[in-house]
Amino acid sequence: MGPAVPVSLCLHEAEGLEILLKAKDPDADYLFNHALVQDAIYATLMTPQRRALHARVAAALEALYAGRADDIAETLANHFALAEIPEKTILYCAIAGKKNLQVFSLKVADVYFVQAVEQMARHRIDMNPEFTDNVRADWLEVMQWSADFERTITIFEPRLPQFKRIGQTSRYAQILALFGIAYVQQYRYVEAEPLLQGALQAGHGLLLWQVY
């Protein structure tokens, strides 16, 4: 193997060949001249090389955006997923999902929450219970705002007992209410009634606790 070539020299040569262009984006130095060129170069990399490069990029971005990594959660989620680092993928998918939920970008939020939940299941990763419950609750909220009531019931009905560990909190009351509404929208009133009553009781109990 010959001596290492400085990165700056490689970039200068690639720019001279019009493979790369100087970027106008302040967050980037160079861009590929064409997406097809990028895809062709990427395709020449072996899978282990790809994973390693994505891991290095993700680690560099985390360090660069220390304290504000949430700002680029989507980018980090993508790189960690391609690097096949599930714990970090789950973390940043959850953050990206929450961010998009807050601005009502519901389809994008759904994609990230699906990926987070699938990664937890596929790799059998037990995240912090509070973290896991919040991911599922946020995903549930996305489905409710999307009026995807049938899917809400299909996915979350088996998981309802797991939410009980949240305890008598406003979050738990919200979850029960959202479930109840989903059943009402599907004309399943018998199943909706105990959930809505439970939401009222949880909310009432929380109110009394705050008063006293």
Side-chain angles (χ1 to χ4, degrees):
M1 184 180 292
V5 180
V7 173
S8 58
L9 183 61
C10 294
L11 291 173
H12 181 73
E13 184 177 352
E15 186 181 3
L17 294 171
E18 297 187 351
I19 296 172
L20 295 177
L21 300 174
K22 280 289 182 85
K24 296 180 181 179
D25 187 340
D27 292 329
D29 293 323
Y30 290 92
L31 295 172
F32 281 98
N33 185 32
H34 197 284
L36 291 176
V37 175
Q38 180 179 353
D39 291 343
I41 293 173
Y42 188 77
T44 66
L45 298 174
M46 301 294 287
T47 299
Q49 290 178 300
R50 294 182 189 181
R51 285 200 300 263
L53 283 173
H54 282 294
R56 289 173 61 187
V57 170
L61 287 172
E62 268 194 318
L64 183 63
Y65 284 82
R68 54 192 182 97
D70 291 10
D71 294 346
I72 57 165
E74 294 88 346
T75 300
L76 287 170
N78 181 56
H79 281 298
F80 278 120
L82 292 170
E84 297 184 18
I85 302 175
E87 291 87 351
K88 291 282 192 175
T89 303
I90 293 165
L91 172 63
Y92 286 110
C93 279
I95 294 171
K98 182 73 170 182
K99 278 177 57 182
N100 283 279
L101 169 59
Q102 290 173 338
V103 296
F104 283 83
S105 183
L106 301 177
K107 289 184 179 179
V108 176
D110 183 67
V111 168
Y112 283 110
F113 285 130
V114 167
Q115 188 173 359
V117 172
E118 286 182 347
Q119 288 275 328
M120 283 190 276
R122 182 182 307 129
H123 297 283
R124 298 182 180 179
I125 295 174
D126 293 323
M127 305 291 284
N128 179 289
E130 183 179 359
F131 173 88
T132 301
D133 292 336
N134 282 327
V135 168
R136 289 171 175 165
D138 287 336
W139 188 25
L140 170 62
E141 191 173 345
V142 168
M143 291 191 206
Q144 291 293 299
W145 282 113
S146 304
D148 202 348
F149 302 115
E150 184 176 358
R151 181 168 169 242
T152 297
I153 294 170
T154 300
I155 291 176
F156 285 99
E157 190 174 50
R159 295 184 170 95
L160 183 57
Q162 297 173 5
F163 285 115
K164 291 182 180 179
R165 67 187 179 190
I166 296 175
Q168 297 298 309
T169 63
S170 58
R171 186 66 152 167
Y172 184 57
Q174 179 193 30
I175 289 167
L176 292 178
L178 291 174
F179 264 115
I181 291 169
Y183 281 114
V184 168
Q185 293 295 331
Q186 294 299 112
Y187 306 104
R188 295 169 62 174
Y189 304 115
V190 173
E191 292 149 301
E193 184 176 2
L195 291 168
L196 295 174
Q197 286 181 345
L200 288 171
Q201 289 172 1
H204 183 63
L206 183 63
L207 179 62
L208 289 176
W209 181 83
Q210 291 173 337
V211 168
Y212 292 102

